[in-house]
Amino acid sequence: MSSVPHPLAPELRAVNGRELAGLILGLVIVVSPHAGRAPWWLTVLVLGLYGWRTLIAVLNMPLPPRWLLLMIGAVAMVGIRAEFHMLFGRAPGIVLLVLFSGLKLLEMRTQRDALVITLLCFFLIITNFLYSQSIPAALAMCVALLVIVTTMVGLSAPQRSPHANLRTAGLLLAHAVPVALVLFLLFPRVQGPLWGLPQDGYTGVTGLSDTMSPGTLARLALSDTVAFRAEFQGAPPPQRLRYWRGPVLWDFDGRTWRMGPTVFAPFRPPTGGDARYRYSVVLEPHNRDWLFSLETAASLPDQARFTADGEIIARRPVRERRRYELVSVANPVPDPREDPFVLQRALRLPEGFDPRAIALADEWRRSSSSDSQILARAIDWLRSSRIAYTLEPPLLGPDSIDEFLFDSKAGFCEHFSSAFVFLMRASGLPARVVTGYQGGDLNPVDNIVTVRQSDAHAWAEVYLRGRGWLRVDPTAVAVPSRIESGIARAIPEGEAVPLLMRRELRWLRSLRYNWEAITHKWNVWVLGYDPQRQRDLMAFVGIRDSDWRNLTAALFVVLGVLVALLVAWSLRQLARPDPVQRAWHHFCRKLGARGVRRAPSEGPRDFSERAARSLPRAREGIQRIGDLYLALRYGAEAPAAKIDELRRLVRELRVT
Amino acid sequence: MIRSLLANPRLANWLYGFTPPERGPVVLGHRRVYIVPTRLGWLFGASLAVLLVGSINYAISLGFALTFLLAGVGLAAMVQTTRNLARLAVSAGRVEPVYAGESAQFSLHLDNRAGFERPAILLRHLASGAQRVVSVPPIASTEAVIPVLAVRRGWLPLGRVMLETRFPLGLFRAWSYVEPEARALVYPRPERTATPPMSAGSLPGAARAQSSGNDDFSGLRSYQRSDSPRHVAWKAVARSDDMLTKQFSGEAAAELWLDWQQLPASLGTEQRLSRLAGWVLAAERAGALYGLRLPAVAIAPDRGEVHFSACLQALALFEAP
């Protein structure tokens, strides 16, 4: 055996223009979502590298020397290091991969390099999913996959038309879908992560934070991003009752409210209440450990703990979409028991801030006989204060509470709640700030409440001796429409409200409701498919206590069936002879029945001549069939009309 | 190691699943089509493993979907790669005889009886390494010509041919071996000294001169120094390397016997055959009536293509095993 190189060997064949075009198209689709996240200069550089390679192909220039590419790579790496302050995090790693795609393209000579780039594309696709796994992102990546697979087909079959390659690629992907579905459902899922994630693994998610200062919620309220979705069994609570409890803030330094230390407590379900709501929440990852619950939670989700101030805390920060079940009660009877140290903490105020607010609180204290009277006076004062509700609050100086209450008289919910809790504490009532979300959009299509960052809210809780903690929403007191009908009505005309929050675009809303319903299904069934869901599915089909062993067994059985089907498909295609051949076989069978059997070595011409001699009555037909068959089988063309004629002749042949 | 094992014909036959050579069209059954991943295939598999680990680590649902979809693509590609060769019918066509030292052009017909195209099939002649890439359209047949260098005279069997494909993705390599019954007749390499068989005196054998007029053109023969330049066939010379002389009926057209026995005893068998082949060539070109006498065979004097082929075949197969 000699070792002549294979003419189709990927390390030998140069890449042609069409293959290059396919590669660049695939790369552009795959890289474009990164363009918004990568530093702008890198995007420009990488596009420039693609353009350079295209130019080289068009003008038939030599490829740049390797040292030049290494230099470009080194300079770009220094830039990335400067931009991200590291090289091996998640974001810089992805940017490096994008850069590498451009450099690899420029040193691509042979098919083997091209194939390495196609593999690189697969990695770039998955890096996109780190940022967005939405339906449009998935569709875009499907298009990219089709382009890449088409290019791969083209690489293995040169001189084939792109159209035929596209068809082959489509066929391959169509065959892959059932296999992928089975693997997706049955492949034993492991709860990640397998190892420590890079430090920057989860930056860039929006959501409530553990602190609140003037402006933080107003900024958050400009975001349309979904915080979570809740699916109620039965009717959801009305808008004004939809207070979703998040972090509770205790400590104030004159400007910023903080959570302070978390105190875990055994869960005590509330007593009494108007209505019970059973619902499940699909929480978007927010990289914090708190879970949101409708006030007041009457059950605790799995893998979560309860704190003394009524927060629900997950064991780990929520870094992937998480689903949990809850029961809540509206307006329960408050529990009057409370730790004196906690109440002490709920009265603490920073020294030397906001003298006017303190004076106002002192005045209430002096002129009231009870705590509830102080509360009533405060609410009355707020209602008549004519403070405006705005998404664009003016900047405040060091005495932020005073300036808000008496000077600027305009603010967002963090201003209201902060000032109110300050006034309560100053007048001797224990109080705390509760942050979370208020309201949420009820989708009439699937009855799911979608809560967005723009629903972020802060309210107050005041402790009345003998009664317990009571919710007071100062924003609702001052601007009742905020709670009754949502943020869009409460904000004055002309201010920037997130597009989807606007009232006038009704058709847009209905479109959005349908889209939201699809998105929710996608989130729950595709993106939220985790070990738990897998166990549920297995239990549904009757396999209880599924573990990796019976999952693997089931996987192999189903995959085996699929592969058998695939092979059967290819065999069926092979076994089906063409119409000409079928007609000829029919002809041979007909003659065979009359005793004129074709010898294995006998050619069609000899056979038809012999048959014509031995069956003189059918001579003419036999000869015409023989001639037609020879023409169709060995001629240059096989027109459909001739094939039909052959079939008709064979059918009508009478050999009796 | 494996190559030396494959050199053992019995082992190879058992391994390849057929006993060569095969008569008639050879249909590549599934059992004869082998498939293994290529280097790219292994790399693809390794990439899938990395994608899977990444998906688990970052809990990316669509990462799982991508990984599994690509795994499905790999599986479908494996089936399609096999399908690209399976049930392909290979048959050998006619081969023109050649002189030793030339390449025999073996033609193989690949007959695709299935309703899909079979692109990018490589045919490689194992003994010589000659290779061709062909595509076979649906329900059609394609001819591939494989040149095989004929080293020695006699019958040259085609030998084993490997059919290989990496279509559609290059992740897998499917191959099969065929050894259709095809052989080319290889004439001895004709000696180019072109000892003139025409000069009656110097030639052994009975040469009988014929006398006729000087005007009728009767053919061409090799140029001899004594020929007049006026009789050189310049047009024919321009087409070939040999100097040719126009021969007229008036000249001596001889009936020659090209005889093995008359050659110098110092010449070996192959050299004798080479010289005889050269003479046959020259005699035919000259339009002479010539006969061939070998130790076991004698061919009566004649001329023309059939006679010429018969003489060369006798030389080619002289004492052939």
Side-chain angles (χ1 to χ4, degrees):
Chain A
M1 231 185 271
S2 68
S3 55
V4 180
H6 188 310
L8 290 181
E11 48 279 359
L12 285 176
R13 280 196 47 232
V15 176
N16 65 31
R18 213 160 57 195
E19 290 155 0
L20 180 71
L23 279 178
I24 290 184
L25 178 64
L27 275 174
V28 165
I29 301 176
V30 165
V31 162
S32 53
H34 286 304
R37 297 183 282 258
W40 66 268
W41 56 266
L42 192 109
T43 308
V44 172
L45 172 68
V46 170
L47 286 181
L49 293 177
Y50 293 174
W52 188 7
R53 185 63 178 86
T54 313
L55 216 61
I56 285 173
V58 170
L59 301 181
N60 219 351
M61 296 191 301
L63 289 177
R66 188 156 286 177
W67 62 263
L68 184 61
L69 294 179
L70 283 174
M71 222 159 72
I72 295 172
V75 170
M77 264 154 91
V78 170
I80 292 169
R81 175 81 176 73
E83 197 91 29
F84 293 93
H85 309 291
M86 57 176 162
L87 263 185
F88 297 107
R90 195 183 76 176
I94 291 169
V95 168
L96 277 177
L97 209 58
V98 171
L99 171 72
F100 185 64
S101 75
L103 293 176
K104 182 74 199 164
L105 205 58
L106 271 170
E107 66 148 28
M108 179 182 70
R109 283 159 218 279
T110 62
Q111 307 257 311
R112 203 188 54 178
D113 300 325
L115 289 164
V116 168
I117 291 176
T118 59
L119 294 185
L120 188 66
C121 283
F122 299 145
F123 285 96
L124 284 167
I125 289 179
I126 207 169
T127 57
N128 279 322
F129 293 149
L130 284 170
Y131 294 100
S132 170
Q133 300 191 68
S134 63
I135 297 174
L139 288 178
M141 291 306 118
C142 281
V143 173
L145 205 58
L146 187 63
V147 171
I148 295 162
V149 174
T150 306
T151 309
M152 281 181 94
V153 174
L155 288 169
S156 78
Q159 280 117 35
R160 205 154 168 263
S161 76
H163 183 80
N165 291 341
L166 186 69
R167 226 180 28 232
T168 304
L171 190 70
L172 283 172
L173 283 169
H175 283 171
V177 165
V179 176
L181 194 67
V182 168
L183 281 167
F184 189 82
L185 291 178
L186 294 181
F187 187 86
R189 294 296 183 93
V190 192
Q191 189 75 54
L194 300 176
W195 64 82
L197 297 167
Q199 314 162 17
D200 67 334
Y202 295 102
T203 51
V205 288
T206 50
L208 287 178
S209 82
D210 51 0
T211 63
M212 182 185 86
S213 43
T216 45
L217 290 192
R219 266 197 304 280
L220 196 57
L222 291 173
S223 161
D224 258 336
T225 316
V226 172
F228 57 88
R229 294 181 170 87
E231 187 170 7
F232 286 87
Q233 290 178 15
Q239 167 106 3
R240 61 185 168 81
L241 287 183
R242 291 205 291 264
Y243 280 88
W244 304 95
R245 191 181 185 91
V248 179
L249 311 178
W250 292 83
D251 301 333
F252 188 50
D253 65 358
R255 185 168 191 86
T256 304
W257 289 87
R258 296 174 203 286
M259 284 178 85
T262 303
V263 183
F264 290 106
F267 180 66
R268 281 180 307 189
T271 51
D274 306 340
R276 287 176 81 81
Y277 298 102
R278 187 177 289 275
Y279 57 100
S280 64
V281 174
V282 177
L283 178 61
E284 298 292 316
H286 58 105
N287 204 23
R288 304 285 188 165
D289 53 5
W290 51 76
L291 305 178
F292 297 94
S293 61
L294 188 69
E295 286 194 328
T296 303
S299 73
L300 202 57
D302 294 340
Q303 303 277 313
R305 289 181 288 178
F306 197 66
T307 66
D309 50 9
E311 297 163 43
I312 298 174
I313 304 288
R315 302 246 173 225
R316 285 183 293 117
V318 181
R319 284 174 171 166
E320 54 269 355
R321 200 172 272 110
R322 177 170 175 164
R323 187 171 183 279
Y324 51 90
E325 310 271 344
L326 269 177
V327 178
S328 287
V329 177
N331 302 320
V333 178
D335 188 350
R337 287 169 295 173
E338 187 55 288
D339 191 334
F341 287 106
V342 171
L343 293 180
Q344 206 56 47
R345 193 176 161 205
L347 283 170
R348 219 175 287 155
L349 282 178
E351 294 282 326
F353 284 100
D354 310 299
R356 283 185 280 174
I358 289 176
L360 180 67
D362 279 347
E363 200 268 315
W364 290 344
R365 165 97 270 166
R366 274 196 305 278
S367 61
S368 308
S369 54
S370 69
D371 285 353
S372 44
Q373 211 171 349
I374 295 176
L375 185 58
R377 286 208 58 177
I379 290 174
D380 277 346
W381 185 87
L382 204 59
R383 192 168 285 147
S384 56
S385 65
R386 297 168 155 269
I387 299 178
Y389 184 66
T390 174
L391 263 174
E392 293 157 3
L395 291 174
L396 300 174
D399 287 331
S400 59
I401 308 280
D402 273 4
E403 284 178 40
F404 163 66
L405 287 176
F406 304 109
D407 302 335
S408 69
K409 283 184 173 273
F412 200 59
C413 52
E414 69 264 36
H415 300 83
F416 285 92
S417 57
S418 165
F420 189 77
V421 170
F422 186 93
L423 285 169
M424 286 295 102
R425 286 186 177 187
S427 56
L429 266 71
R432 59 194 182 192
V433 172
V434 182
T435 58
Y437 298 91
Q438 207 290 320
D441 205 2
L442 176 67
N443 186 340
V445 175
D446 56 3
N447 239 15
I448 285 170
V449 175
T450 303
V451 178
R452 297 168 186 282
Q453 299 302 347
S454 51
D455 296 315
H457 193 50
W459 58 94
E461 276 183 341
V462 180
Y463 182 80
L464 289 183
R465 279 173 195 87
R467 285 192 64 192
W469 290 99
L470 295 177
R471 179 176 70 213
V472 179
D473 188 346
T475 317
V477 171
V479 196
S481 56
R482 162 68 180 91
I483 306 305
E484 292 300 329
S485 49
I487 186 171
R489 242 181 249 275
I491 297 285
E493 292 284 325
E495 274 191 30
V497 174
L499 181 69
L500 292 178
M501 286 283 136
R502 293 183 196 166
R503 282 180 293 134
E504 62 273 20
L505 299 168
R506 191 152 294 156
W507 61 271
L508 195 65
R509 280 176 84 88
S510 95
L511 199 68
R512 181 173 61 109
Y513 283 138
N514 283 297
W515 177 246
E516 283 285 329
I518 296 169
T519 307
H520 184 72
K521 290 272 176 290
W522 171 260
N523 287 344
V524 170
W525 289 106
V526 180
L527 305 186
Y529 191 79
D530 59 0
Q532 181 57 46
R533 290 237 138 194
Q534 192 169 42
R535 275 193 293 277
D536 294 349
L537 181 80
M538 295 314 284
F540 181 73
V541 297
I543 304 177
R544 263 172 230 288
D545 308 320
S546 59
D547 58 1
W548 66 270
R549 270 170 302 220
N550 46 31
L551 274 173
T552 312
L555 179 67
F556 274 99
V557 168
V558 181
L559 266 191
V561 170
L562 273 182
V563 171
L565 282 176
L566 211 58
V567 170
W569 165 84
S570 85
L571 285 181
R572 197 184 63 89
Q573 278 220 327
L574 287 170
R576 194 172 51 200
D578 63 292
V580 175
Q581 205 62 18
R582 268 206 305 270
W584 176 252
H585 286 320
H586 186 195
F587 172 69
C588 292
R589 273 199 310 278
K590 263 191 163 172
L591 294 181
R594 296 302 304 158
V596 186
R597 288 196 184 78
R598 189 166 81 95
S601 61
E602 204 169 14
R605 188 188 301 277
D606 294 343
F607 175 63
S608 51
E609 278 170 8
R610 184 167 65 88
R613 278 196 304 276
S614 44
L615 299 167
R617 262 197 253 160
R619 209 186 72 203
E620 221 163 275
I622 290 173
Q623 276 174 347
R624 274 183 66 194
I625 288 171
D627 292 346
L628 207 52
Y629 174 71
L630 283 170
L632 284 169
R633 191 90 187 104
Y634 301 103
E637 313 169 46
K642 292 256 179 188
I643 296 177
D644 287 343
E645 190 190 345
L646 176 70
R647 282 154 80 174
R648 188 178 51 79
L649 281 172
V650 172
R651 210 169 41 239
E652 290 169 358
L653 182 71
R654 293 282 169 268
V655 287
T656 45
Chain B
M1 163 84 177
I2 290 172
R3 270 182 198 174
S4 61
L5 275 178
L6 285 179
N8 178 342
R10 280 177 63 188
L11 191 65
N13 291 349
W14 172 78
L15 205 65
Y16 297 143
F18 64 93
T19 311
E22 298 165 281
R23 286 168 173 279
V26 182
V27 179
L28 302 179
H30 270 80
R31 278 195 51 224
R32 285 175 63 165
V33 178
Y34 309 92
I35 184 162
V36 289
T38 57
R39 206 189 305 171
L40 176 74
W42 289 115
L43 200 62
F44 183 80
S47 305
L48 287 195
V50 174
L51 288 177
L52 181 66
V53 170
S55 304
I56 293 173
N57 205 45
Y58 285 91
I60 322 170
S61 245
L62 288 188
F64 283 109
L66 172 74
T67 311
F68 297 150
L69 192 65
L70 287 176
V73 166
L75 214 58
M78 186 175 78
V79 172
Q80 280 221 30
T81 306
T82 316
R83 188 186 76 152
N84 208 30
L85 279 190
R87 306 277 179 94
L88 186 66
V90 184
S91 51
R94 252 182 65 82
V95 198
E96 292 299 319
V98 290
Y99 296 100
E102 294 178 348
S103 282
Q105 307 292 318
F106 283 95
S107 82
L108 284 184
H109 294 276
L110 305 186
D111 192 8
N112 179 10
R113 294 165 191 178
F116 52 86
E117 188 195 357
R118 298 173 187 263
I121 294 174
L122 169 87
L123 293 124
R124 177 188 283 176
H125 185 242
L126 289 188
S128 70
Q131 46 196 12
R132 285 283 178 278
V133 180
V134 293
S135 290
V136 196
I139 314 177
S141 98
T142 298
E143 186 187 15
V145 176
I146 300 179
V148 178
L149 184 70
V151 182
R152 280 180 294 126
R153 68 179 175 86
W155 287 112
L156 172 68
L158 170 58
R160 195 158 283 161
V161 174
M162 184 179 74
L163 286 90
E164 182 189 323
T165 185
R166 297 179 182 204
F167 185 81
L169 294 186
L171 303 180
F172 293 91
R173 164 179 174 267
W175 76 98
S176 186
Y177 295 101
V178 289
E179 194 168 340
E181 193 183 42
R183 53 184 196 171
L185 185 60
V186 182
Y187 301 146
R189 185 196 301 261
E191 214 175 72
R192 280 188 62 91
T193 48
T195 309
M198 293 304 299
S199 45
S202 68
L203 255 179
R208 181 158 45 83
Q210 289 176 333
S211 66
S212 36
N214 203 9
D215 1 335
D216 297 328
F217 175 72
S218 69
L220 295 171
R221 64 167 169 81
S222 289
Y223 173 75
Q224 296 161 31
R225 278 195 189 169
S226 57
D227 285 339
S228 149
R230 280 192 303 126
H231 288 170
V232 170
W234 294 111
K235 274 186 194 163
V237 169
R239 284 196 297 268
S240 74
D241 296 337
D242 297 311
M243 287 285 273
L244 297 173
T245 303
K246 287 185 206 159
Q247 199 177 6
F248 300 91
S249 320
E251 290 183 30
E255 187 180 83
L256 307 166
W257 275 100
L258 310 174
D259 195 339
W260 170 275
Q261 295 301 336
Q262 301 299 322
L263 285 166
S266 60
L267 291 177
T269 309
E270 296 306 318
Q271 284 166 301
R272 283 171 192 240
L273 292 170
S274 270
R275 182 156 305 171
L276 285 170
W279 285 349
V280 168
L281 210 62
E284 176 66 23
R285 212 177 264 160
L289 284 166
Y290 59 95
L292 180 67
R293 195 177 286 133
L294 296 174
V297 193
I299 299 173
D302 199 352
R303 64 158 75 99
E305 205 156 307
V306 176
H307 175 68
F308 174 68
S309 301
C311 291
L312 285 174
Q313 180 166 357
L315 292 172
L317 300 179
F318 176 73
E319 285 179 353

